[in-house]
Structures are given as structure tokens and as C-alpha cells.
């Protein structure tokens, strides 16, 4: 069998010593130490199990906090905050974290409702000097579109014909040939 | 008898010095190959009874206290957190056997449970200290090229050995042929990263289990902790974390050796240990 499946090497050594194959004088250095301070889990080799199909209980739970709701909404509305994250400092407070803390503060004061809390937090931070710009505002159609862009060629040609019908008909009495795009 | 300094097939950094074999623990590894080399071995004749008792006392006293070397004051949970030891790999890279050691999964990144890490690290360092106290050879292995130099310099600083290069197949299992007869194998192998460069388990773990050598290993969330004797669940990719581990192991080994010298002087063994004091 594979090494270590049935017993760890401690038991192998212990049995070798008990049977006399290994003399006490040749006892390994680690033997006493291992006996005095054994590991938490016996180091047996665990065979890799074939893939388990179907549902199985989630072994490692996801980590979510209450403040994550606030954070999600913040990132949706404001995008990434105005200031970048500085990871070299362990006590760094990011824009989002400031927002969250302010939100929790206002919530604990308990006067406003949920819908207004978000707005209020933004206003409170603005009062403290932190400007938050909304991400992706409504698309504004500018009224100053050049009038030439609205003209159509067919209309222009029709105007030309109505303006000077007489001149076109003197061209040998033929109906004006259709314009062939080339 | 000069212990062979393992220099073939890689750089094994260590002090080339006479390793005074302790009385009963002058160990050769328990593999069948070494019985034949008993002739070339150290003089295993028993020493005088008084010295035996004193040596026994020196060896047994540390085993009675749970934390003889006071290693719990070397690190705290906050230190581990600051060194980013709790950061694992993504959920898809997770090894099934690491699930008990994980605290949770934050946005698909595994977070290692530092409470468990503290206990495991404590027991691993304690074991290392006791082995160093008894004059055992410790081999540090890491196949991460980013930290190869760090590992080698750390091993040199604490007077032990390191192997941060390509692991040839028979280094442990075929040692007398690869290095020559009469090689003394390590008594403890410390893996600062249990994976090799192709993200498979390092061959050394399996070989150490075959050769009855205990192992201490830093296992990340994509590693297999089953064969490692004293696994330490923790991050093995961040430089901060690796520097922490190296610093801890170096301090522990040096502390253990100093303690040994101290105990020998205390219990009047200075006559038989001239080499120890000349270290």
C-alpha cells in the first residue's frame, strides 16, 4: 500500500524498536520529542477521493458582513471612490469605509428611514468635505446639434425641382432622368 | 567523524563542522541501507555512567514543560495578520483537505483560520526547538525561486542546512549512492512551501515519510497537508509572510542551541563538549 496509509512512521519506528531490530542506542533523535509533543493530527496519507457529484454541504462558509449591503450600494452609485486604496498602511480608512461608518452612525441615531439614510450620509460627508460624484448619470441630449446634420438629400433634390421646374423640362421634353447613384 | 556536507546536486548551505554525536542519539536514519555502514560509524561505546545520567537529565528536562523555550512570546496573532498569513488562494484552487483549516471565503478568496495557525505554528516551532536542542540536523526546503536566497541565508545564519534547488529523485531514498557511504540524513525537514514549481506536492514530503523523518510544513490553501507531520496552515506566497517564518525558525533554532550550551554548562558537562562551546 502507499506509504503511511495505515500507520504513520512513528508506529513503524516504535514497532521496530520493540521488536529489537533497532537498538535503543540507535533511537532516532526525534522519537522522544514526538512522543512528548505529538502533532494534533496523525500524519496519515489520505487517498484522493473521486469527485463527488451532486450537492454537498458547503464546507467553507462565505464571509459577509452587515455593512456589505451598504458597500454594495455605494459602489453601485458612486463607482470607486475619489481616493485610491493605500494598502501599505494597516489602519487606512478608504472612502467607502468612511461612508459606511457615517451610515452606521446615522442609523444608530435612529431618526431617518432607510431610503433617506443613503442620501443623508452623502450630504453629511459633503459637509465634512468629502465630494462624491455619482457614476454614470443620465445621458443628456445636447440641443446644439448642427442643423446641416438634419438635412436629407432627397428633400434637397425635391426642393431644387420645385424651384426650377421650367429649366429641367426644356431639356428635350424628356422627363428628368432618375438619379442613379454611382 | 566529519559529517558529510551535502554539496552534490544543489547547494546545501551549512557550517562544515564536527557534529558531536550525542550519546544514545547518534542517529542514523532507520533505513536498511545504513546497517552496513556501522563500521564506518561513530564510536558508540557507552560513556561513563555519571555522564550518561547527566546527559539523560539534560535531554529529559525540556520534555517536561510544555513550552520550555518560551516560544509563545515570539509571535502573536496580530503579527501573523500583519504579515498576511491568513490570505489563501481563490476558491477554485482550494484543496479538499485544507477545508478544516479555513476560516471562510471572502469574495472567493480563502481566508485561513489564524487561531488554528497559532496553535499549529506553536507546536511546529516547539518541535523544531527540541530537535535543535538535541543536536539534530534540520533541512529547510523551499522550491519557490522568489525566496530561495532568503531560505539559504536563513539556514546559514542558524547553522543548519537548506535545499532550495531542483530536488533530484534519490536525495533521501538513495543517499548513500548519491553522496557516498556514511551520510547522515536530516532529523527534521522544514518545508517553507510544500509545492514545487508545477504546483504538485514536493517529492521530499513523501520521501521523508518513507525515511522516517518528521516534517514541518507551511501549507497554503492549495496544498495537501496529509503527509506533513506538523502542518502549519498559512500563506506561502507573500514576501512578508515568508520573512516572518524565516525569522521565527532562525530565532527558534538559535535559541534552542544557546539553551543547550547553557544547560551543559549548568549541569557540568563542559568537559565533554568542547566543540559545542566553540560554535
Amino acid at each position: 500500500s502507499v506509504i503511511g496509509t495505515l500507520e504513520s512512521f512513528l508506529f513503524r519506528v516504535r514497532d521496530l524498536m520493540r521488536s529489537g531490530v533497532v537498538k535503543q542506542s540507535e533511537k532516532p533523535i526525534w522519537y522522544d520529542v514526538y512522543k512528548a509533543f505529538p502533532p494534533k493530527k496523525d500524519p496519515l496519507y489520505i487517498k484522493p477521493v473521486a469527485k463527488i457529484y451532486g450537492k454537498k454541504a458547503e464546507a467553507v462558509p462565505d464571509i459577509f458582513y452587515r455593512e456589505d449591503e451598504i458597500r454594495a450600494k455605494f459602489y453601485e452609485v458612486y463607482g470607486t471612490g475619489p481616493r485610491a486604496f493605500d494598502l501599505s498602511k494597516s489602519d487606512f480608512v478608504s472612502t467607502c469605509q468612511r461612508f459606511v461608518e457615517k451610515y452606521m452612525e446615522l442609523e444608530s441615531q435612529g431618526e431617518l428611514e432607510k431610503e433617506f439614510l443613503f442620501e443623508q450620509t452623502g450630504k453629511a460627508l459633503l459637509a465634512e468635505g468629502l465630494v462624491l460624484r455619482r457614476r454614470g448619470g443620465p445621458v443628456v441630449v445636447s440641443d446644439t446639434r448642427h442643423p446641416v446634420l438634419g438635412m436629407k438629400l432627397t428633400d434637397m433634390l425635391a426642393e431644387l425641382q420645385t424651384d426650377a421646374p421650367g429649366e429641367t423640362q426644356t431639356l428635350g421634353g424628356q422627363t428628368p432622368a432618375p438619379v442613379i447613384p454611382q | 567523524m566529519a559529517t558529510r556536507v551535502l554539496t552534490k546536486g544543489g547547494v546545501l548551505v551549512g557550517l562544515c563542522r564536527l557534529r558531536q554525536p550525542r550519546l544514545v542519539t547518534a542517529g542514523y536514519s532507520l533505513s536498511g541501507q545504513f546497517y552496513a555502514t556501522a563500521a564506518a560509524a561513530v564510536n558508540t561505546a557507552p560513556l561513563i555512567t555519571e555522564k550518561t545520567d547527566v546527559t539523560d537529565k539534560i535531554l529529559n528536562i525540556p520534555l517536561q514543560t510544555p513550552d520550555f523555550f518560551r516560544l509563545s512570546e515570539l509571535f502573536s496573532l496580530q503579527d501573523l495578520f500583519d504579515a498576511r498569513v491568513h490570505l489563501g488562494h481563490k476558491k477554485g484552487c482550494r484543496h479538499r483537505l485544507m477545508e478544516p483549516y479555513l476560516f471562510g471565503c471572502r469574495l472567493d478568496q480563502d481566508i485561513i483560520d489564524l487561531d488554528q495557525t497559532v496553535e499549529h505554528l506553536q507546536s511546529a516551532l516547539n518541535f523544531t526547538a527540541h530537535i535543535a536542542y538535541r543536536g539534530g540536523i534540520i533541512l529547510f526546503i523551499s522550491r519557490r525561486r522568489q525566496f530561495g536566497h532568503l531560505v539559504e541565508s536563513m539556514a546559514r545564519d542558524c547553522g543548519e542546512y537548506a535545499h532550495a534547488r531542483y530536488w533530484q529523485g534519490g536525495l533521501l531514498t538513495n543517499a548513500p549512492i548519491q553522496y557516498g557511504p556514511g551520510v547522515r540524513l536530516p532529523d527534521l525537514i522544514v518545508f517553507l512551501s510544500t509545492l514545487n514549481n508545477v504546483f504538485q506536492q514536493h517529492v521530499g514530503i513523501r520521501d521523508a515519510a518513507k525515511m522516517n523523518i518528521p516534517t514541518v510544513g507551511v501549507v497554503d490553501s492549495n496544498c495537501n497537508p496529509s503527509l506533513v507531520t506538523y502542518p502549519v496552515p498559512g500563506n506561502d506566497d507573500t514576501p512578508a509572510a515568508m520573512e516572518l517564518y524565516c525569522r521565527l525558525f532562525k530565532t527558534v533554532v538559535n535559541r534552542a542551541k544557546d539553551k543547550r550550551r547553557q544547560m551543559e554548562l549548568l549541569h557540568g558537562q563542559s568537559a565533554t563538549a568542547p566543540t559545542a562551546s566553540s560554535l
Side-chain angles (χ1 to χ4, degrees):
Chain A
S1 65
V2 182
I3 288 288
T5 349
L6 296 174
E7 54 171 23
S8 65
F9 58 85
L10 171 74
F11 296 108
R12 201 184 317 143
V13 170
R14 189 199 62 187
D15 293 337
L16 281 173
M17 287 179 62
R18 255 202 263 164
S19 64
V21 177
V22 173
K23 318 264 181 313
Q24 278 293 325
S25 56
E26 292 167 4
K27 185 165 67 165
I29 291 182
W30 52 264
Y31 189 74
D32 292 323
V33 187
Y34 194 114
K35 284 205 119 153
F37 305 110
K40 287 189 186 22
K41 202 175 145 308
D42 210 16
L44 288 178
Y45 175 72
I46 298 170
K47 284 209 182 92
V49 169
K51 192 170 162 74
I52 304 165
Y53 289 96
K55 281 202 169 161
K56 54 178 172 171
E58 181 60 56
V60 177
D62 282 325
I63 301 174
F64 283 119
Y65 301 101
R66 282 272 208 84
E67 294 91 337
D68 283 345
E69 288 176 36
I70 312 166
R71 287 189 190 122
K73 202 151 176 237
F74 174 87
Y75 283 123
E76 199 188 308
V77 171
Y78 295 116
T80 52
R83 201 160 49 128
F85 279 74
D86 182 8
L87 291 174
S88 54
K89 291 192 274 184
S90 54
D91 57 350
F92 178 76
V93 177
S94 62
T95 322
C96 182
Q97 188 58 24
R98 269 184 78 180
F99 188 93
V100 165
E101 283 168 4
K102 195 79 201 177
Y103 190 102
M104 303 300 283
E105 212 183 287
L106 292 177
E107 196 180 3
S108 63
Q109 284 164 8
E111 298 149 9
L112 304 159
E113 296 165 15
K114 266 196 103 166
E115 297 87 39
F116 298 120
L117 259 180
F118 199 81
E119 315 283 330
Q120 283 300 97
T121 330
K123 287 183 201 152
L125 282 177
L126 195 64
E128 284 178 15
L130 184 71
V131 180
L132 293 167
R133 190 176 310 165
R134 274 177 180 263
R135 177 183 72 154
V139 177
V140 174
V141 179
S142 67
D143 303 322
T144 54
R145 203 157 170 253
H146 204 279
V148 171
L149 295 169
M151 287 161 60
K152 280 172 78 172
L153 197 58
T154 41
D155 295 342
M156 282 162 63
L157 283 170
E159 264 181 33
L160 267 176
Q161 286 165 21
T162 50
D163 277 348
E167 292 165 24
T168 51
Q169 278 179 2
T170 50
L171 280 172
Q174 290 169 351
T175 52
V179 177
I180 303 163
Q182 289 180 356
Chain B
M1 182 206 88
T3 333
R4 260 320 189 10
V5 175
L6 310 171
T7 50
K8 217 176 177 186
V11 175
L12 267 165
V13 176
L15 295 180
C16 208
R17 58 191 164 94
L18 280 170
R19 277 212 175 244
Q20 171 101 5
R22 308 287 167 218
L23 199 236
V24 290
T25 55
Y28 280 101
S29 293
L30 302 169
S31 66
Q33 298 139 345
F34 291 112
Y35 299 137
T37 59
V42 170
N43 170 29
T44 51
L47 298 182
I48 314 164
T49 333
E50 304 172 2
K51 300 266 172 75
T52 318
D53 287 342
V54 178
T55 320
D56 275 347
K57 202 159 74 168
I58 293 180
L59 292 177
N60 290 333
I61 285 175
L63 296 180
Q64 280 144 21
T65 26
D67 194 10
F68 184 71
F69 302 98
R70 287 181 292 124
L71 302 170
S72 45
E73 64 193 32
L74 282 179
F75 67 97
S76 66
L77 210 150
Q78 183 66 39
D79 295 335
L80 293 182
F81 184 83
D82 289 335
R84 277 95 80 183
V85 164
H86 59 289
L87 299 175
H89 289 270
K90 286 279 192 178
K91 191 160 80 169
C93 297
R94 191 194 300 160
H95 194 100
R96 180 179 64 93
L97 297 169
M98 283 299 289
E99 279 163 10
Y101 300 119
L102 295 179
F103 178 73
C105 189
R106 172 69 168 165
L107 300 175
D108 274 2
Q109 185 179 12
D110 287 333
I111 306 294
I112 296 170
D113 190 359
L114 283 184
D115 293 322
Q116 293 188 47
T117 304
V118 163
E119 294 167 1
H120 282 88
L121 188 57
Q122 176 71 30
S123 71
L125 289 177
N126 186 40
F127 190 82
T128 316
H130 281 277
I131 296 285
Y133 178 87
R134 286 157 174 257
I137 297 184
I138 302 176
L139 180 66
F140 293 96
I141 294 183
S142 165
R143 197 57 184 102
R144 293 201 62 107
R145 304 175 69 175
Q146 190 181 3
F147 308 116
H149 182 258
L150 176 70
V151 168
E152 287 179 355
S153 51
M154 177 265 289
R156 186 183 49 220
D157 290 339
C158 61
E160 297 295 341
Y161 301 84
H163 187 97
R165 309 298 165 101
Y166 178 72
W167 181 274
Q168 283 180 337
L171 283 191
L172 289 180
T173 43
N174 203 20
I177 305 207
Q178 294 221 337
Y179 293 106
V183 187
R184 185 173 160 192
L185 287 184
D187 302 299
L188 171 69
I189 300 186
V190 178
F191 284 90
L192 287 155
S193 162
T194 49
L195 296 180
N196 60 15
N197 281 350
V198 276
F199 300 103
Q200 289 165 346
Q201 196 184 36
H202 201 285
V203 171
I205 298 177
R206 196 199 63 197
D207 284 353
K210 280 188 191 169
M211 303 301 287
N212 301 327
I213 300 171
T215 42
V216 165
V218 175
V219 281
D220 205 349
S221 66
N222 57 349
C223 303
N224 183 354
S226 59
L227 269 183
V228 182
T229 326
Y230 293 88
V232 177
N235 190 7
D236 62 1
D237 302 288
T238 320
M242 286 301 278
E243 277 168 21
L244 175 82
Y245 299 135
C246 288
R247 188 167 45 86
L248 283 176
F249 278 110
K250 183 165 71 173
T251 318
V252 156
V253 171
N254 284 331
R255 204 183 257 210
K257 290 183 177 169
D258 290 339
K259 195 78 188 186
R260 178 62 188 247
R261 255 172 270 153
Q262 210 182 40
M263 292 286 272
E264 283 180 347
L265 291 172
L266 210 61
H267 295 266
Q269 268 248 303
S270 46
T272 52
T275 49
S277 53
S278 70
L279 282 166

